[in-house]
Amino acid sequence: MSSENSSADDVRQVWDVVVVGAGPAGASAAYAAAVAGRRVLLLEKAELPRYKTCGGGIIGPSRDALPPGFELPFKDRVHAVTFSHNGRFTRTRRSKQMLFGLINRPEFDQRLVEHAQKAGAELRTGVTVQRVEQHGSEVPDRRTVAVVLQGGEVLLARSVVGADGSASRIGAHVGVKVDQVDLGLEAEIPVPETVAEDWKGRVLIDWGPIPGSYGWVFPKGDTLTVGVISARGEGAATKRYLEEFIGRLGLAGFEPSISSGHLTRCRADDSPLSRGRVLVCGDAAGLLEPWTREGISFALRSGRLAGEWAVRIAEAHDAVDTRRQALNYAFAVKAGLGVEMSVGRRLLTVFERRPGLFHAAVTGFRPAWKGFKDITRGATSLGEIVRTHPMAQRALTAMDRRPAKGGEVSSSP
């Protein structure tokens, strides 16, 4: 900047919405706020595109939450799922219609950000947000939030959306509480054409040996994304599961191009989604499906809602109106995503005790496979199935109550 005056002018400039984090949640929030015609700044600490530990499955609810005209950069389209129970009782089920698509996150995230920019959002990369302040010397009035960057630069906004991932600084400001933390380990394994051809259009889901764990293989052209996830605190066992899983699949001889790990965090039921003029969404809010730990659809949907409500908060003239809009945002999130999370929690509890029962159902019981297909395609949701199907309600309630015999039920379909 050329002079102290221009620097002061920039500091005084007030953005309508500042979004922290340019993943799917942040890009969706920035897009939604920019489409409404507001002045939006999107901040990202990394340079884009950047790698993220993620299977990269795009299910129906994710697809439906994308901006109009968004073309998904699919690496593969899935029409078949092979299920196994800790490497045994393998069975493949097929669907005439595509179940879901597979993407690479760097490319997908970059395209989302580009859509936000086309809608009018401004992007700044390589910046780390140190903290946000809603009171104090940096804040000129009650309608403004100060976003303090590493290095001391201060940005001013009428509202802020925290979408800065599962170790979120904005989440800490809001007071987000989590009650489930899981460790995901993943390897990106380049494979020869003959191996890639064998996996084309098909994924593998393996119900794992640690309670609540499972593994997956997602094919993406000449690379297989192979990963496992289980509750945090089982680090050594989770690592062993991944190694044995890769070995069982005959992939141990191939060198991974990337090996990575990531903690996923699910919010507690009473966790706040806002504080004053600051909202959180996606991983920063602990929003993901507790059983599968699927987070992209939750990020896209909560990000869009956060962007829409950030606009309303930016327009709020006093604390009462701000509070009303923040409560409306929380209600919108809980009415949709919250319901799905509560069903997911119940399913995870049952799955932890009886993985064999789940395997037998999805591989041998037609309504269970139909439910799986409908959810992945976006025709329904977990919450909707339990709400509208008496049989699903009864089965879940019965399994909730029923103790597992000898820890679990193994069943060959």
Side-chain angles (χ1 to χ4, degrees), residues 89-161:
F89 313 124
T90 301
R91 182 163 182 194
T92 300
R93 307 221 55 166
R94 300 183 187 279
S95 168
K96 288 194 177 102
Q97 294 167 295
M98 183 178 92
L99 295 168
F100 56 97
L102 301 174
I103 50 94
N104 283 329
R105 277 288 301 278
E107 192 181 355
F108 176 69
D109 290 12
Q110 174 83 37
R111 285 201 191 182
L112 280 172
V113 168
E114 285 166 5
H115 270 258
Q117 288 176 288
K118 279 181 203 152
E122 195 170 308
L123 171 71
R124 276 184 66 181
T125 58
V127 287
T128 300
V129 172
Q130 203 129 47
R131 65 186 185 278
V132 292
E133 293 180 9
Q134 302 197 64
H135 308 282
S137 58
E138 301 289 6
V139 184
D141 58 59
R142 288 182 180 180
R143 287 193 62 210
T144 310
V145 183
V147 180
V148 183
L149 306 184
Q150 210 166 39
E153 185 185 349
V154 178
L155 304 167
L156 299 179
R158 296 279 177 234
S159 66
V160 170
V161 175

Side-chain angles (χ1 to χ4, degrees), residues 311-392:
V311 166
R312 292 172 185 146
I313 285 171
E315 291 165 353
H317 286 286
D318 57 36
V320 174
D321 196 18
T322 301
R323 179 87 181 124
R324 186 187 303 122
Q325 300 302 345
L327 285 170
N328 285 341
Y329 167 65
F331 180 77
V333 170
K334 289 172 186 175
L337 301 177
V339 171
E340 288 177 41
M341 286 185 78
S342 64
V343 175
R345 274 193 193 93
R346 289 173 70 192
L347 282 170
L348 176 64
T349 303
V350 176
F351 174 65
E352 284 172 341
R353 290 182 294 138
R354 308 174 72 84
L357 198 62
F358 270 76
H359 183 68
V362 81
T363 57
F365 183 51
R366 191 167 289 165
W369 168 241
K370 184 179 184 304
F372 179 92
K373 284 196 299 184
D374 287 348
I375 289 166
T376 56
R377 283 178 33 235
T380 188
S381 68
L382 273 175
E384 192 68 13
I385 283 177
V386 171
R387 193 175 66 80
T388 58
H389 290 67
M391 187 167 67

